[in-house]
Amino acid sequence: MNWLDKTVAFISPAQGLKREKNRQLLTVMNKGYGNHGASSRKSSMAGWVTQNGSVIDDIEKNIPKLRERSRDLYMGAPLATGALKTMRTNVIGSGLRLNAQIDADYLGMTTEEADIWETKVEREFNLWAESIHCDMQRMNNFYQLQGLAFLSWLMSGDAFCLLPIKPRANMPYDLRIQLIEADRVNSVDGGMLLEGNPKVLNGVEINEDGEVVAYHISDRHPSSFDIQKMKHIRVEKFGRTTGRPNILHLIETERPEQRRGVPLLAPVIETMKQLARYSDAELMAAVVNALYSVFITSDADSETDELGSIPEEDEVDSGNETTYELGPGTVHFLGENEKIQEAAPGRPNPNFDPFVTSMCRQIGAALEIPYEVLLKNFTSSYSASRGALLEAWKMFKMRRQWMAEGFCQPIYEEFLSEAIAKGRIDAPGFFTDPMIRKAYSGAEWNGPSQGQLDPLKEVNAAEKRVDNGFTTRSAETVALGGGDWFRNHSLRIREEQARRDAGMASGVPDQTMEPDEEDET
């Protein structure tokens, strides 16, 4: 105790005890994290003002503004556009392709029978998926819709997909895909709550257990102008009798009890906007510096025309007398007592590229896209470039798996149900036993393969992985080029047979050879 505490304790023991208690409590608070990230005494932390908020206050209330700014960056900031399109191209590419993989052992099927069944299903699925009839709008096929849904999710934070049934001529399947923009899932008049109902927030309805049970979709975009009152339709997430999904919600949550998604660019919105402003300013400064003009002063009034001045039809703002415009190679006459003070702007700025590069590294770290991949700038060593690609592909594969499980697989299962119900696909027990249904619904979704910096090294590594049993030829074929090994194998047999028939030497075994002869060859 210091002298003040002793004095207070002598006069009022209760107050002295209280002061000592608070002092001990403060000592406890400044231990562990209290001496570091949670410190309230360090000067470096004194200006860090934080506030603890719920998921509604921190996320849900800010989503509309985040969505607006994310879309604005996509439309006007090249770096933001490149980041989202880089993800779309590497995750989806031309579309994730179906590779049916049923559980033949559980279904009691031989390998040959399973292969025949899978081939037939893939053929039927492509009949529907490769046609624009699968789209409710009849504008995109299934593979193009994948890219649209993924890009919409990146830009807006979430995307929605309805699965209506609509018969169409010359198409045996009635399942349709209807993508809904994130803004249309909202409450009355675009507000957060639906008529004061706390169970409906941002168009998402939950029950007493916190389970999402329905979505409220407006008949038009909330920002569109229309004199008629906006109408909403309530779509239950799953069918009451069948339990089948009525709507798919593409969302990546970052906190429990979160109902709507956050745009991918949300953590770097401010950085990207400031960087775009800086780039525009540097570009304008460089343009002004390049438009070097000659100015001539005169001591008396002169009616001499401006030699080389900008033609009136080329002026940007000819109607404004207070505007001065510069043009390349122009000569401007000045009036009496008018002078020009030359400036040295030093543009282009030599520090522009290093600074932008440094900021792009931070942006890439936040988006999980290495700087080399973000800017398509592979100027480092082979090892560094390959490391950047491998790091990026960890994220690309994760996003691809997420997209396959949340979008492609549910739609495929709905298609398979219709195909089996209509008798185009034979699958006994599909509608009666959930395990049989799962066994028939197994599938892989393959997309674009990883880029190769040195194809020879990649192929040699793939051969060693196959020889040592670490992987299969089918998996390596997908990884290297996104192809189908069995299809390639059948085609190669016909190619090599044609070469032998033409008298050309070949080391590939004939299809008619016995297995032992193939191994020897």
Side-chain angles (χ1 to χ4, degrees):
M1 280 189 181
N2 54 33
W3 66 269
L4 180 60
D5 291 332
K6 291 179 180 179
T7 303
V8 173
F10 178 78
I11 299 175
S12 176
Q15 289 296 328
L17 181 61
K18 183 177 180 181
R19 288 173 63 89
E20 183 62 22
K21 179 181 178 181
N22 292 335
R23 187 184 304 280
Q24 294 298 326
L25 181 61
L26 184 62
T27 302
V28 173
M29 291 177 60
N30 285 281
K31 290 183 179 180
Y33 281 115
N35 282 326
H36 303 285
S39 175
S40 58
R41 301 174 62 184
K42 289 185 176 181
S43 58
S44 59
M45 296 292 182
W48 191 348
V49 180
T50 58
Q51 186 176 2
N52 188 26
S54 67
V55 67
I56 296 178
D57 295 329
D58 291 349
I59 295 179
E60 299 291 346
K61 291 182 179 179
N62 298 312
I63 283 177
K65 182 59 68 177
L66 290 175
R67 191 183 297 145
E68 294 173 8
R69 291 177 175 174
S70 175
R71 290 173 181 167
D72 186 72
L73 283 176
Y74 177 81
M75 292 184 286
L79 188 62
T81 307
L84 298 190
K85 287 189 174 181
T86 294
M87 286 187 129
R88 189 272 315 271
T89 300
N90 287 276
V91 174
I92 304 299
S94 59
L96 304 184
R97 300 282 169 169
L98 170 66
N99 181 19
Q101 296 287 326
I102 65 174
D103 190 347
D105 292 336
Y106 183 81
L107 296 173
M109 301 172 65
T110 64
T111 304
E112 292 75 13
E113 291 173 340
D115 184 64
I116 294 174
W117 192 92
E118 291 167 353
T119 302
K120 182 177 181 181
V121 169
E122 292 172 4
R123 187 178 294 113
E124 288 286 330
F125 182 76
N126 285 329
L127 171 65
W128 174 80
E130 294 178 352
S131 170
I132 62 173
H133 294 299
C134 70
D135 183 10
M136 193 66 175
Q137 290 185 303
R138 283 187 176 178
M139 294 186 63
N140 302 286
N141 61 29
F142 175 63
Y143 305 106
Q144 294 166 343
L145 288 173
Q146 293 177 27
L148 178 59
F150 187 75
L151 186 61
S152 178
W153 166 71
L154 292 175
M155 198 186 313
S156 304
D158 50 11
F160 297 86
C161 173
L162 295 174
L163 300 175
I165 300 297
K166 185 178 180 61
R168 283 174 177 168
N170 200 28
M171 172 53 65
Y173 297 102
D174 302 332
L175 178 65
R176 303 291 172 252
I177 300 174
Q178 184 177 5
L179 294 182
I180 302 295
E181 196 167 27
D183 306 67
R184 287 185 55 192
V185 179
N186 55 62
S187 301
V188 174
D189 297 329
M192 292 185 59
L193 298 178
L194 180 63
E195 297 178 351
N197 185 0
K199 297 298 182 182
V200 181
L201 180 64
N202 280 334
V204 181
E205 180 181 345
I206 62 174
N207 59 14
E208 292 75 9
D209 299 325
E211 174 192 358
V212 176
V213 294
Y215 296 91
H216 295 258
I217 305 175
S218 61
D219 59 348
R220 63 179 185 272
H221 193 281
S223 299
S224 61
F225 176 77
D226 199 318
I227 59 175
Q228 297 182 354
K229 184 179 180 180
M230 183 183 300
K231 298 180 181 179
H232 283 76
I233 179 175
R234 182 178 180 272
V235 178
E236 295 187 357
K237 189 172 184 178
F238 296 98
R240 295 184 180 181
T241 57
T242 63
R244 307 270 285 280
N246 294 323
I247 182 172
L248 304 179
H249 185 188
L250 296 180
I251 178 177
E252 186 179 59
T253 57
E254 56 187 48
R255 289 179 62 177
E257 301 180 5
Q258 180 180 340
R259 304 190 201 179
R260 299 300 300 269
V262 178
L264 183 73
L265 299 177
V268 294
I269 282 179
E270 182 181 3
T271 304
M272 280 193 165
K273 185 59 178 178
Q274 295 288 61
L275 195 59
R277 288 170 175 167
Y278 174 58
S279 300
D280 292 341
E282 285 291 336
L283 178 60
M284 180 57 66
V287 171
V288 172
N289 187 53
L291 297 177
Y292 187 80
S293 299
V294 175
F295 296 88
I296 300 177
T297 60
S298 176
D299 294 335
D301 296 337
S302 175
E303 297 180 357
T304 306
D305 293 335
E306 294 185 359
L307 178 62
S309 61
I310 302 176
E312 184 176 354
E313 61 271 12
D314 294 337
E315 292 183 1
V316 177
D317 194 13
S318 59
N320 190 349
E321 297 180 354
T322 62
T323 301
Y324 293 91
E325 299 187 21
L326 299 179
T330 59
V331 176
H332 298 270
F333 287 88
L334 302 179
E336 185 177 0
N337 298 326
E338 293 181 346
K339 294 183 178 180
I340 288 294
Q341 179 66 42
E342 293 186 359
R347 294 296 189 275
N349 185 357
N351 297 320
F352 174 77
D353 188 66
F355 175 76
V356 172
T357 299
S358 176
M359 298 306 300
C360 288
R361 294 183 190 278
Q362 298 183 36
I363 293 174
L367 300 180
E368 296 184 279
I369 306 178
Y371 155 77
E372 294 87 349
V373 180
L374 179 62
L375 295 185
K376 312 297 187 298
N377 183 25
F378 298 94
T379 56
S380 303
S381 63
Y382 170 82
S383 300
S385 299
R386 176 169 171 75
L389 282 175
L390 291 176
E391 199 63 29
W393 269 88
K394 291 179 183 179
M395 181 269 295
F396 293 149
K397 290 180 180 178
M398 182 268 292
R399 301 284 188 199
R400 180 178 299 175
Q401 183 69 20
W402 173 86
M403 185 67 179
E405 294 177 353
F407 185 80
C408 300
Q409 185 66 24
I411 293 177
Y412 168 64
E413 292 180 6
E414 290 303 302
F415 163 84
L416 193 59
S417 299
E418 182 181 358
I420 295 173
K422 290 187 173 181
R424 297 184 66 90
I425 299 294
D426 184 28
F430 183 87
F431 294 107
T432 57
D433 191 336
M435 283 299 298
I436 294 179
R437 176 186 175 90
K438 180 176 176 58
Y440 276 117
S441 302
E444 292 180 353
W445 296 91
N446 299 321
S449 59
Q450 180 179 346
Q452 303 173 24
L453 295 177
D454 191 332
L456 181 59
K457 291 182 179 180
E458 301 288 347
V459 171
N460 290 336
E463 288 181 355
K464 293 194 175 192
R465 286 195 293 268
V466 172
D467 293 341
N468 288 279
F470 300 146
T471 183
T472 63
R473 286 180 170 85
S474 297
E476 292 299 330
T477 302
V478 172
L480 290 176
D484 186 337
W485 185 86
F486 288 100
R487 199 168 278 123
N488 293 344
H489 180 66
S490 301
L491 181 59
R492 286 198 62 210
I493 290 177
R494 294 196 296 271
E495 289 178 346
E496 298 305 326
Q497 184 63 47
R499 286 170 60 86
R500 283 192 293 273
D501 293 344
M504 304 175 68
S506 175
V508 178
D510 191 352
Q511 187 179 15
T512 59
M513 291 183 179
E514 297 296 329
D516 294 340
E517 294 177 336
E518 289 188 7
D519 293 340
E520 292 175 1
T521 304

